[in-house]
Amino acid sequence: MQTELSRKLGVEHAVFGFTPFPAVAAAISRAGGFGVLGAVRYTAPEELRRDLDWIEAHAEGRPYGLDVVMPAKKVDGVTEADVEAMIPEGHRQFVKETLARYGVPELPDGEASGWRITGWMEHVARAQLDVAFDYPIRLLANALGSPPADVVARAHDRGVLVAALAGSARHARKHRQAGIDIVVAQGYEAGGHTGEIATMVLTPEVVEAVDPLPVLAAGGIGSGRQIAAALALGAQGVWLGSIWLTTTEADLHSPALTRRLLAAGSGDTVRSRALTGKPARQLRTAWTDAWDDPAGPGALPMPLQGLLVAEAVSRIQTYEVEPLLGTPVGQIVGRMREERSVRAVFDDLTRGFERAVDRVNRIAGRSGQP
């Protein structure tokens, strides 16, 4: 599964694996793919440094990258406290009432919320970059449009390629104009923030829009035959995220959540603003239903919603309150039926890819024959 892009980055397979878990990122790189660590959950630079140290020690010298979330436009002088002050009291009350309805206990005294997505805020993401550029990362990806121009220049000065996710050809063209090196065409089926165009339609549109820039296909991909299809559509690789959530190296800290993922079908996800304020595909739960209910107050815009629900999500996860327990995940969850190692996932992907290519070659070989 090699392409021009994978050869450029020195990886065996053109499989880019996004994950919030350093052990998974390192395992993806060791298996011949390209591990990409998601940085949004890191609230302090030293936490990110600790995990990048771990990847350095366990990736066996294989290349890896970092994914951040930062807006292209900078807003000066806005602190987390300023943002918190913008949250309406009615929304805070709605959170309390919803948690009370399901009997979710308070966190123990002195225990702070472990789920703070302040990484959506630019000053936090920039602090993450100050750490990341001390390491030999080969790729910097941004999940919220093109990074600011100075960040792109800073990465290029260090020989780091820059990728950005796009949900439409229009977004992809903006990335090209901003000097992005790789566009990730993320379809409607994908987990997390995603647009409304399906991967099969989006991928060739983006390939044509940004040619000759390399494109990675993302959204609903979790088998070798789907990787073959993505390459046939013109992509130079695939960007996989959800499939790693049920690997043995993942650290969900929740047996109940793992059970829910393994039991879910492809129709058990929903695009909801409940988690961050932007449409993000995730498991459908009583929590997403409450926020999507027209009778409720509705989700706040990013980053207000993420700050509003941070403690609530920590409480739901800590006590594994199953009706409310969810996570960002794509429609490929329907194929995630058992816990497997990252290596086992790669073995399945490569075998499936080979079978798909052989099948197409057989079909092509018979064309024109009686």
Side-chain angles (χ1 to χ4, degrees), residues 188 190 192-196 269-274 278-282 292:
Y188 173 82
H193 296 132
T194 182
E196 298 182 353
T269 69
V270 63
R271 284 174 76 244
S272 172
R273 299 177 185 269
K278 289 178 69 68
R281 185 170 298 283
Q282 55 203 278
D292 296 339

Side-chain angles (χ1 to χ4, degrees), residues 15-30:
V15 175
F16 293 71
F18 165 81
T19 174
F21 307 116
V24 176
I28 290 169
S29 292
R30 289 198 306 271

Side-chain angles (χ1 to χ4, degrees), residues 177-254:
Q177 293 167 1
I180 300 302
D181 304 294
I182 302 167
V183 177
V184 181
Q186 180 165 275
Y188 173 82
E189 306 94 323
H193 296 132
T194 182
E196 298 182 353
I197 304 174
T199 304
M200 180 66 89
V201 174
L202 179 66
T203 301
E205 286 186 352
V206 171
V207 168
E208 292 174 7
V210 302
D211 183 61
L213 289 185
V215 172
L216 301 177
I221 301 173
S223 69
R225 70 180 68 180
Q226 290 173 306
I227 296 175
L231 299 188
L233 292 172
Q236 286 204 31
V238 292
W239 178 275
L240 308 184
S242 298
I243 197 72
W244 316 112
L245 288 173
T246 52
T247 56
T248 53
E249 292 90 347
D251 193 11
L252 286 177
H253 295 296
S254 175

